[in-house]
Every structure is written in structure tokens, then in C-alpha cells.
Amino acid sequence: MTETVSTRAPLSPTPRSTLTRLRERAASDRAALDAVLDAGLICHVGVLMHGAPVVLPTAYGRLGDTLYLHGSTGSGNLRAALTGDVSVSVTLVDGIVYARSVFHFSMNYRSAVIHGRPVEVTDERERLRALRAIVEHNAPGTWDYVRGPNKKELAATVVLSLDLTEASVKSRTGAPGDEQDDLSSPSWAGVLPVHQFFGTPITAPDSITEQAPAHVIARVAPAS
Amino acid sequence: MTETVSTRAPLSPTPRSTLTRLRERAASDRAALDAVLDAGLICHVGVLMHGAPVVLPTAYGRLGDTLYLHGSTGSGNLRAALTGDVSVSVTLVDGIVYARSVFHFSMNYRSAVIHGRPVEVTDERERLRALRAIVEHNAPGTWDYVRGPNKKELAATVVLSLDLTEASVKSRTGAPGDEQDDLSSPSWAGVLPVHQFFGTPITAPDSITEQAPAHVIARVAPAS
């Protein structure tokens, strides 16, 4: 399932696909899937609304074999996500691939695509675990540092779980895949790396504590 | 249409929406839409396949009021995109918003969502303009620097155009929106900025030219 592709499209379509049944393969695929999910900040969720797909960015968290999403009880998109299959995509762009021809221009990337029917999480303990996973995914060290959700806030929150069984991972790494005839071209060929990093924390004007805590400071470094 | 939101979900759902007919408003909205599209590297396209949405990352380009996508003639996803409405989402994550409560954790972001029915571009001149827009979007200065597409490569490429009329832009900026009761909390509140930048170019082992050209070197700087 995990593969290095060198195709024309900068990011190649990942067909809707099921995880192979071979255990060994599945183990490495799952590790690759988890690695992409754990490295991403946001996902794009596709839901069906009025017969057409709607793609929206949102936060997520992962615990074992489950992806968690959350949102407001008033969200029409979340309601739509509970009435049919969804597609969740997490993509990390690692580089721009400069080829010697327009046709072979590409990107290096890691991409995970998950399909399935989300289920609303109703068990209060699982809801808390899921919300913790989502918050800790985007802001490690936070759950125990700030005020937890109260009853009113929990009542306003919908939590969805999505099984990671039907998922695929694709990636592209390395140099451009130019045509043999173009290898003598004087055009520079190579990769321009794309990095994401966290900058210097900006303290809110009304924050009593001026200095960001260690769990925030620790993130200020190249992150990918 | 452009709005600063401070909601519970890190990235709030953008409802499928039409551009307002008011000209003045539309102008500023279009400028905001164009700014997000021009700043993004990839989009996530949602298509309907076998009755369920499939979300995939891909490259894109913009010329005026048109978004262009491309891919292989063998791509089932592109074919699916021509048989019904699609949803295209471009999201830029600008920061992690650290609130004094779990409930108000959020993200700063800019998000564009476009809906519409893509059309296959068949006019050869428009196809070339579109491919140029896509390549120049991800690698400015490239089209005139490398070998252009030949007949065989063009025959293997499908180009789609999507009108930008039905689109929405959302963004969140600034400090966390905590509850009044939490403002006396000793928990640090603020924003951890997220930046994307291009690293030092990596020359391909078989590149005749060792030094990356000016149009590549010029990108090596914080990009967002």
C-alpha cells in the first residue's frame, strides 16, 4: 500500500482502497499510515451534502485504530458525515520536484486517505478520550494544563469516530523522474524542500502568564 | 464572505455558499479568495465515486476567474470529476491558538472552498495556458526554463477548469476567545505561529547543472 510513485501529477490520485489482508504488509502499512496521521496538523473531510461532495478542513486526533473528529452540535457538515461514507485526507508536502521538462514537474509528499462511515461517540469516557486526543494532537501537553470541558461545553460538542481499516498511504520521495532524452539538458534538476515549523509564541494581550510554558516552547523548531 | 471566526472547532465548516451578488462585497471577497488560492501549494478535491465522496490532494493553478486542475488521462478520479459537482478546498494553517480552556483551543487559518462542475479543457491553447498556470503556481519561473510538453505528453494529460463563482473564504486570526470566567487563569494564552518555508535546494545526482537557478534560489525564505 505504501509506495513511492513518480507520476506526472504532482500528487497522484489515491484510489479508494482496502488495506491488504496480508498481516506483514498490513503492519508496515499501518505504521506508515499512523506516521502520516501523527505528523499532520489538519485533515480534509469530504461529506455528501445534497448529492454533492463538500470538502472541509478540520482538526483530528488518533487513538490506535480510530480517527476522531469533533465539532459543534449545530454543524450541518457533521450531521451529513453521520448519514453516509466520508473520505478523510491528510497530506504533507515535502518538496517541489524540479524536472528538466514541464511534464515531469512534481511534488514530494506523504498522503493518507481514509474511507468509512463515521459513528457518533456517545460514551462519555470515550468522548473525553477522543477530545483529549484531538487537543493533544494539535497542542501536546495541553489537556492537563488548561481547564477541561464543562457540561455545557460537552453538550455542545459532537465527537465522531472513524475506523482506520479502509485507508491508503501514498508518498513520493527523491529526485525528478526525467525522460532519458532530457538527462543531457542544462536545466537544473532537483528538489526544493518544503518545511513547516512553529515560530515564536505570541502571548495574548490579556494573558496573565507572559512566558509560554515548556510544552509550547518545545515546539519552536523545524517540524517536518 | 471573508470573516474572522472564533469557534470551537479549530477549523470551522464552511457551508456550501454562493458569492454574494453585491459588487463591492464581491470584489473584496474575490481578492481574499485569490489570495488564499495563490498562497496555497495544493488543494484537496472531493469527487463522488460509487456514491461516496473521495478526497484527494492535487496541484492547481489559477488564471483570473478559473481554477485549473490536471492529471493523467487514465485517472478515474478526474473522470469522476467530470460527471458531477466537485468541492475544492485550499487551507493554510497559520497558528495554533492556545486558550485557557480545552473548549476554546483553535487554529488560525485561511480557507477557501470552491464548488462547481468542472469542464474538460479541449482548446489546445487554453490547455497550454492552464498547464503553464499550474506549473508556475508551484514552481514560478519554470515554464520558460525547461522543456515544454510534447504531443505525446499532452495527449496523456487531462486539463479541467472550474469556475470560481461559487466559493467561500473563511479565516481566523488573533488571540484565543476565552470565557470571561477563565481570563484570570494562570494558564498561558496565545498563539504559536505555523510557518511554511522552502529549504536549501537539493540538486539531483544526475543534474548537469549543479547550482540551482535564481528562480529557485529566490524561494529559499520563509514563505508564509
Side-chain angles (χ1 to χ4, degrees):
Chain A
M1 190 177 67
T2 309
E3 60 189 272
T4 300
V5 288
S6 174
T7 55
R8 189 188 165 294
L11 289 173
S12 302
T14 308
R16 177 159 179 156
S17 58
T18 27
L19 195 68
T20 169
R21 300 279 175 248
L22 295 168
R23 285 205 189 165
E24 211 171 311
R25 179 77 186 278
S28 72
D29 290 347
R30 263 310 303 274
L33 178 70
D34 291 352
V36 172
L37 295 180
D38 294 351
L41 282 179
I42 60 162
C43 64
H44 283 83
V45 182
V47 300
L48 201 60
M49 289 187 82
H50 310 299
V54 174
V55 178
L56 299 166
T58 193
Y60 66 91
R62 182 184 71 85
L63 281 178
D65 297 334
T66 306
L67 191 86
Y68 288 108
L69 306 171
H70 75 327
S72 160
T73 47
S75 159
N77 303 103
L78 281 187
R79 263 197 296 275
L82 287 167
T83 62
D85 280 7
V86 304
S87 177
V88 177
S89 185
V90 174
T91 310
L92 304 157
V93 177
D94 295 322
I96 314 290
V97 181
Y98 284 77
R100 298 157 180 95
S101 71
V102 160
F103 189 75
H104 285 290
F105 259 72
S106 188
M107 284 192 204
N108 285 337
Y109 66 94
R110 289 160 286 160
S111 163
V113 179
I114 305 148
H115 295 98
R117 170 80 65 110
V119 173
E120 183 172 356
V121 179
T122 53
D123 178 79
E124 210 53 39
R125 279 175 304 181
E126 188 183 354
R127 273 162 55 83
L128 284 171
R129 278 198 302 272
L131 292 172
R132 181 184 182 119
I134 295 168
V135 168
E136 288 288 311
H137 177 78
N138 281 322
T142 285
W143 187 268
D144 293 328
Y145 177 74
V146 303
R147 178 175 68 73
N150 60 33
K151 278 186 182 178
K152 185 183 156 199
E153 291 166 345
L154 284 172
T157 304
V158 174
V159 177
L160 304 189
S161 70
L162 180 62
D163 198 275
L164 292 177
T165 306
E166 194 183 350
S168 60
V169 179
K170 283 185 91 174
S171 64
R172 190 202 185 282
T173 57
D178 275 305
E179 301 293 325
Q180 196 65 34
D181 285 355
D182 289 324
L183 294 183
S184 56
S185 163
S187 300
W188 178 81
V191 174
L192 182 65
V194 176
H195 299 289
Q196 195 171 66
F197 75 101
F198 298 105
T200 307
I202 301 162
T203 301
D206 56 4
S207 178
I208 286 178
T209 301
E210 283 196 23
Q211 180 64 37
H215 65 269
V216 176
I217 295 292
R219 306 184 82 184
V220 184
S224 77
Chain B
M1 191 177 67
T2 309
E3 59 189 271
T4 299
V5 289
S6 174
T7 55
R8 191 190 163 295
L11 288 173
S12 302
T14 307
R16 179 160 177 154
S17 58
T18 26
L19 195 67
T20 169
R21 302 277 176 248
L22 295 168
R23 284 210 189 162
E24 212 169 311
R25 176 79 187 278
S28 72
D29 289 348
R30 263 313 300 273
L33 178 70
D34 291 353
V36 173
L37 295 179
D38 294 352
L41 282 179
I42 60 162
C43 65
H44 282 84
V45 182
V47 302
L48 200 60
M49 288 187 83
H50 311 298
V54 174
V55 178
L56 300 166
T58 194
Y60 65 93
R62 183 185 71 84
L63 281 178
D65 298 332
T66 305
L67 190 86
Y68 288 109
L69 306 171
H70 75 326
S72 160
T73 48
S75 160
N77 304 102
L78 281 187
R79 262 197 296 273
L82 287 167
T83 62
D85 281 7
V86 304
S87 177
V88 177
S89 185
V90 175
T91 310
L92 303 158
V93 176
D94 294 323
I96 313 291
V97 181
Y98 284 77
R100 297 155 181 97
S101 71
V102 161
F103 189 76
H104 285 290
F105 259 72
S106 188
M107 285 192 205
N108 285 337
Y109 67 93
R110 288 161 286 160
S111 164
V113 179
I114 306 147
H115 295 97
R117 169 81 65 112
V119 174
E120 182 172 356
V121 180
T122 53
D123 178 79
E124 209 55 38
R125 279 173 306 181
E126 188 183 353
R127 275 163 53 85
L128 283 170
R129 278 198 303 271
L131 293 172
R132 182 186 182 118
I134 295 169
V135 167
E136 288 289 310
H137 177 77
N138 280 323
T142 284
W143 187 268
D144 292 329
Y145 176 74
V146 302
R147 177 176 66 75
N150 59 33
K151 278 186 182 176
K152 185 182 154 200
E153 291 166 345
L154 285 172
T157 303
V158 175
V159 177
L160 305 189
S161 71
L162 180 62
D163 198 276
L164 292 176
T165 305
E166 193 183 350
S168 60
V169 180
K170 284 186 91 174
S171 63
R172 191 201 185 283
T173 57
D178 275 305
E179 302 294 325
Q180 195 66 35
D181 286 354
D182 290 325
L183 295 182
S184 56
S185 164
S187 300
W188 178 81
V191 174
L192 182 66
V194 177
H195 300 290
Q196 195 172 67
F197 75 101
F198 298 105
T200 307
I202 301 164
T203 301
D206 56 4
S207 179
I208 285 178
T209 300
E210 283 197 22
Q211 181 64 36
H215 65 268
V216 175
I217 295 293
R219 307 183 81 184
V220 184
S224 77

